[in-house]
Amino acid sequence: LAGTAIAEVAPGDITWVDDVMIPTSLTGMPGSVDAGVSVVSSRSAGNCVACHGISALPDAAFQGNVGPSLDGVGSRWTEAELRGILVDAKHMFPDTRMPSFYRVDGFTRPGDAYTGRAADPATFGPLLSAVQIEDTIAYLMTLTD
Amino acid sequence: AALWSGAALADPDLSADLMIDGELHIVTRAPADDIVPNLSERYSGWLFRDPATRDMQADDFENPAMLAVDQGAELWETAEGTAGQSCQDCHGDAEESMAGVRARMPHVNADGELWSMENYVNNCRTERMGAEEWRWSGGEMTSMTAFLSMQSRGMPVAVQIDGPAAPYWEQGRDMYYTRYGQLELSCSSCHEESTGMMIRADHLSQGQISGFPTYRLKNAGIVSIHNRFRGCIRDTRAETFAEGSEEFRALELYVASRGMGLDVEGVSVRP
């Protein structure tokens, strides 16, 4: 991340439009589609496929169906809406089971990753970095009908 | 996980029947009531497993948990502690004295405190036998709870939730609907709202405990109720509660009540 932190928007500084959209890139730059593929499919990153199916990624193992298939999301939503859904899906879908990927407060008993121990407030960060959010959005925008 | 390859997205066969050794029928589906307002029917986790795992549980020779049950039977007869007594010396034949005990656990003790089976066992060890207590999910304890659960196999779960149990039950219900951790998922998010769906490689069941303790093939060992709870809460990126804690005992009571009418499975087999 060294040297890239200049224009990054912190989780607490997000500006929402109509409560569901975030029009501008969190990094001030477009994301990388290839990097987005690994965020979406990797267990240690977004692990989106734990809950969502994506037909374009047949090699991503164990796709779940707790959420809807992401096929065609790039046609269903604008980039600003997808950014809102990724940052904090509870704006678009109140009560959703989808986690908030770029938020750091308001949790009940937040843990230190998957250790079962309490989180250390000094190092606690969002599930994805601003760069990873932008990479994911770049990839989702390619999933058109 | 390999068990699921290929059949990963197949819907669970909810009409399957659990018959142990071709002779003991286990109730794995029970009608819901207003205790669980959001469920149409209660289902054992057995129904959500693949055919190979189900078959293992239907045959006591194939069920790997039976080893632990045998160890529990031995411990039952073993004198330990300063009083030089065994469980059997006081309780006699477990088949008689312990029949139905698992089906009503956890329950409130004479002092008004909600106790799980593990608490009762450890209380007898420390207060009556003068022996050391066993670790909540240690080998001796899970062998003993496996043995004790077998004495209630085929009896319907029937926990008390009113009277002195009511405040614990309400505490457990509140926990069931609390979205823990950084992923903000409650027990209900996965086991009520998503029953039957796939989350990663797992087919989500209703998260019932009528089959506990359970033999997990993944762990190659017996897993206690509280150990399972801990794993599920940890998976929400949360700070968990301790095994044996007041919180988990209350949650255990509430989850048990969601399974009323399902039969105690003795010792189940899960992936």
Side-chain angles (χ1 to χ4, degrees), chain A residues 13-144:
Chain A
D13 298 334
I14 304 276
T15 309
W16 292 86
V17 173
D18 292 343
D19 198 41
V20 292
M21 290 180 283
I22 306 172
T24 46
S25 165
L26 302 179
T27 60
M29 291 184 301
S32 142
V33 173
D34 285 350
V37 171
S38 75
V39 175
V40 165
S41 52
S42 140
R43 193 175 194 183
S44 57
N47 200 15
C48 314
V49 294
C51 291
H52 293 283
I54 306 178
S55 319
L57 295 179
D59 293 343
F62 306 130
Q63 303 191 1
N65 62 357
V66 168
S69 159
L70 295 184
D71 293 358
V73 280
S75 305
R76 273 199 295 288
W77 304 98
T78 64
E79 186 190 305
E81 287 166 334
L82 284 177
R83 190 173 289 107
I85 292 172
L86 263 193
V87 163
D88 190 352
K90 278 117 195 159
H91 283 246
M92 185 68 84
F93 314 110
D95 302 325
T96 188
R97 282 155 289 175
M98 177 155 155
S100 305
F101 284 91
Y102 202 64
R103 208 182 88 213
V104 289
D105 52 13
F107 301 113
T108 304
R109 296 177 72 90
D112 174 11
Y114 294 104
T115 62
R117 291 190 295 272
D120 176 355
T123 55
F124 188 73
L127 290 168
L128 294 177
S129 67
V131 172
Q132 286 175 312
I133 296 276
E134 293 307 324
D135 293 344
T136 304
I137 291 164
Y139 174 62
L140 294 182
M141 288 304 289
T142 69
L143 298 177
T144 51

Side-chain angles (χ1 to χ4, degrees), chain B residues 152-174:
Chain B
S152 298
R153 183 159 78 166
M155 302 172 81
V157 172
V159 284
Q160 189 192 358
I161 64 172
D162 55 2
Y168 295 107
W169 184 78
E170 278 158 26
Q171 179 186 354
R173 185 190 53 195
D174 289 347

